[in-house]
Amino acid sequence: MNYTIGEVAKKFKLSPSTLRYYDKEGLLPFVERKDSGIRVFSDNDLQLLDIIECLKMTGMPIKDIKIFIDWCIHGDTTLQERYNMFMERKEIVEEQMAALQKTLSTINYKCWYYKTALSAGTEKIHQDIKPRSLH
């Protein structure tokens, strides 16, 4: 199936200009164009965009995503590089998740703290109550 840039932008919650930028930076090397120059996206292009957006969510810079795309173009000779890159990304995401879990624990504690204070009508209640386990 084929998609317009507007359809793809809407599906990925990106602006058409972002998609044009990705294309200009070489992240979408397989996107075809009509004779008029209009981009036509395929299902494979959408799968690649899923990966691009995933890598962006890990904090990977566009220039490094471009390296990954280049490795894909080179085929099986770059399987080890791609595997190593994803193992590195996995470690980064695990660290991000641990940091977010710590943040969530703090937020959960503060929710408990303020709920208890609201029920008592004062924060002074916490002078006598030790916080319960957050787990």
Side-chain angles (χ1 to χ4, degrees):
M1 189 164 182
N2 291 327
Y3 307 89
T4 66
I5 196 168
E7 291 169 331
V8 174
K10 187 174 183 178
K11 178 175 177 50
F12 284 88
K13 296 182 174 97
L14 298 169
S15 67
S17 62
T18 297
L19 292 170
R20 288 185 199 98
Y21 172 73
Y22 287 176
D23 192 22
K24 179 180 160 250
E25 293 299 311
L27 302 184
L28 302 170
F30 308 111
V31 172
E32 294 185 17
R33 291 180 181 251
K34 293 182 179 180
D35 291 338
S36 61
I38 294 174
R39 291 169 183 85
V40 179
F41 293 80
S42 69
D43 289 325
N44 287 339
D45 296 325
L46 299 189
Q47 289 175 352
L48 183 56
L49 269 170
D50 271 335
I51 298 298
I52 291 167
E53 289 302 296
C54 171
L55 293 173
K56 275 184 48 194
M57 288 295 294
T58 71
M60 182 179 261
I62 295 290
K63 67 179 182 66
D64 292 340
I65 296 173
K66 170 67 167 101
I67 291 168
F68 167 73
I69 300 298
D70 290 343
W71 287 338
C72 291
I73 291 169
H74 286 96
D76 289 348
T77 61
T78 62
L79 285 172
Q80 187 66 54
E81 289 87 349
R82 289 182 271 163
Y83 172 77
N84 293 345
M85 184 209 72
F86 273 99
M87 290 303 294
E88 180 182 302
R89 291 288 106 193
K90 180 179 182 279
E91 187 176 317
I92 289 168
V93 168
E94 287 170 345
E95 290 169 2
Q96 291 170 338
M97 289 174 68
L100 283 173
Q101 189 59 51
K102 184 177 177 185
T103 299
L104 181 59
S105 292
T106 300
I107 289 170
N108 283 335
Y109 169 75
K110 294 310 275 185
C111 288
W112 168 83
Y113 177 94
Y114 288 114
K115 181 178 181 181
T116 305
L118 281 167
S119 293
T122 179
E123 284 186 87
K124 291 180 182 177
I125 189 77
H126 292 294
Q127 294 171 354
D128 300 327
I129 298 175
K130 293 185 180 187
R132 61 182 176 214
S133 174
L134 301 175
H135 302 287

